[in-house]
Amino acid sequence: MFRLFSQTRRCLQVKRALKRQEWPLRPAHLTAAAQQASFSTASVEHLSRSDSWPKDVGILALEVYFPSQYVEQVELEKYDGVEAGKYTLGLGQKQMGFCSAHEDINSLCLTVVQRLVERSRLSWDSIGRLEVGTETIIDKSKAVKTVLMQLFQDSGNTDVEGIDTTNACYGGTASLFNSADWVESSSWDGRYAVVVCGDIAVYATGNARPTGGAGAVAMLVGPEAPLVLERGVRGTHMEHVYDFYKPDLASEYPMVDGQLSIQCYFRALDQCYSIYRKKIQSQWQKVGVDKPFTLEDFQFMIFHTPFCKLVQKSVGRMMLNDFLAAPNPDTQSGLYKGLQAFRYSAQQLAGSRIGAFSYGSGLAASLFSMRVSQDAAPGSPLDKLLSSLSDLQTRLDARKQVPPEEFAEIMKQREETHHLVNHTPQGSKDDLFPGTWYLERVDDKHRRQYARRPL
């Protein structure tokens, strides 16, 4: 899953030196139904009655949740007794969010789904698929998705397809693919799909601990989306590797071969990018566009982020792939030099192609792309999607900074209590964000009970 909440996920802008080549298959203008202020049942019925194949399937809305407390990586360096800069400069980390004993994977996902539905003014009966991608396993049989169904109870909607998908950090990507494919299939009944990606990444004391984190993302998937998944151009690479795995079911901690995992990440990136380029160039050729695809054809890139420095190296590696594939590269033009951090608005995103690389240890990886809607006008679906995320920095700033000593004690407490029965988590719930779901009690049959902190 996404071990990217140790720092807010980055978008990097590719330095553009070539004149932009327009993609011939632009998303169609959004219908009036999809432009409503809320995602109502009426709009779903309108779509289900349509005789046309669902168009522009992708992400309609997003919600993000992260814990209310974090530890500064500079302070963690001192506490761990490592050289200054090992975590901050060497790994590119700044702050690491982590969960208290009151939060588990179920509570994280309950919180983010409830927020998505409430903030989108979505009716519970307008959801026909709910799929969870996670590697945080607290039950070997009962899916996190089944716990989330308690949110649907008052609506009476039990006709909700989907289940959990697991393979390290790749589960969320697989769930997104599955849900988009459901909307485009004969199984689709005209309702929306919700994809939930969540994890609590904790490590034993040592080199891997500063790459931990926790968080969850919920995505509303359907037709006429402002973020459209481009068809037929996914590049996927899978193989059998023991770089990161969790064989001890009694422990939250994984087995990690850090150097091997980095090698696998780069190898998967090379393979996925090569496959993606071949597929999209084949599409281009069919419509009369005869040119190689390069990194310049992505306006933005998103990467799975085990640690932040790996993203910078990955962008450089894709540039190297372009250079090696070019028959007559111009080494004087500066095409392969430098990238700059990008600060975006709706107008700058409109019409862009966003590349996304997802890696899950073991391994499973894909590189895919999304086309952003052309319509960035105030009140458009794209504007609403970005506006819904505008409070992220405020929420990050509202977190409580915790000293390393307290962080280590909380990690020790989780280690000792995560598997207990007849257990009530200790400590205060007052630090949780308002509206957060939390673990209230585990009974003598391992049944977990949850409650929600008032808004």
Side-chain angles (χ1 to χ4, degrees), residues 285-296:
Q285 288 170 2
K286 292 176 181 178
V287 293
V289 177
D290 188 13
K291 67 178 286 290
F293 184 95
T294 71
L295 193 53
E296 297 291 326

Side-chain angles (χ1 to χ4, degrees), residues 288-304:
V289 177
D290 188 13
K291 67 178 286 290
F293 184 95
T294 71
L295 193 53
E296 297 291 326
D297 293 296
F298 287 129
Q299 282 69 58
F300 305 89
M301 275 300 304
I302 299 171
F303 290 86
H304 163 60

Side-chain angles (χ1 to χ4, degrees), residues 219-437:
M219 295 174 274
L220 185 68
V221 175
E224 300 170 337
L227 294 179
V228 182
L229 291 168
E230 293 195 289
R231 289 181 176 178
V233 291
R234 297 176 194 163
T236 294
H237 174 73
M238 300 200 180
E239 62 176 280
H240 172 49
V241 184
Y242 280 113
D243 61 325
F244 171 102
Y245 53 109
K246 296 180 177 179
D248 185 356
L249 299 180
S251 173
E252 286 192 300
Y253 300 145
M255 303 288 289
V256 184
D257 186 333
Q259 289 302 313
L260 176 59
S261 193
I262 292 172
Q263 294 170 13
C264 290
Y265 186 103
F266 285 146
R267 183 165 70 245
L269 176 61
D270 291 347
Q271 292 295 321
C272 289
Y273 187 37
S274 176
I275 295 167
Y276 179 93
R277 284 187 311 195
K278 290 177 182 177
K279 289 183 177 181
I280 199 166
Q281 286 171 187
S282 176
Q283 284 192 358
W284 281 1
Q285 288 170 2
K286 292 176 181 178
V287 293
V289 177
D290 188 13
K291 67 178 286 290
F293 184 95
T294 71
L295 193 53
E296 297 291 326
D297 293 296
F298 287 129
Q299 282 69 58
F300 305 89
M301 275 300 304
I302 299 171
F303 290 86
H304 163 60
T305 312
F307 55 90
C308 296
K309 186 59 70 70
L310 193 61
V311 171
Q312 299 173 17
K313 294 180 178 179
S314 296
V315 175
R317 193 172 187 95
M318 293 180 76
M319 279 286 190
L320 176 62
N321 275 282
D322 286 349
F323 177 76
L324 295 176
N328 297 299
D330 181 359
T331 59
Q332 303 301 315
S333 68
L335 284 178
Y336 305 107
K337 294 181 181 179
L339 294 167
Q340 59 185 10
F342 186 67
R343 192 172 183 176
Y344 57 87
S345 65
Q347 290 293 336
Q348 290 170 307
L349 279 174
S352 298
R353 172 181 290 114
I354 301 175
F357 176 66
S358 174
Y359 176 84
S361 291
L363 66 82
S366 290
L367 193 150
F368 59 103
S369 57
M370 295 171 281
R371 174 62 74 182
V372 184
S373 167
Q374 291 277 36
D375 184 5
S380 68
L382 177 59
D383 181 66
K384 291 174 185 175
L385 187 150
L386 293 177
S387 296
S388 72
L389 302 175
S390 62
D391 66 342
L392 284 180
Q393 189 60 53
T394 301
R395 287 160 55 195
L396 284 166
D397 294 341
R399 295 177 302 165
K400 174 186 176 182
Q401 181 180 340
V402 172
E405 294 81 4
E406 185 176 341
F407 162 71
E409 181 58 34
I410 292 174
M411 291 297 98
K412 183 174 182 292
Q413 185 183 59
R414 289 188 64 91
E415 181 179 350
E416 294 173 347
T417 63
H418 78 277
H419 59 289
L420 296 182
V421 297
N422 275 332
H423 173 67
T424 300
Q426 301 301 306
S428 173
K429 299 180 287 291
D430 294 340
D431 291 331
L432 297 174
F433 286 128
T436 298
W437 284 82

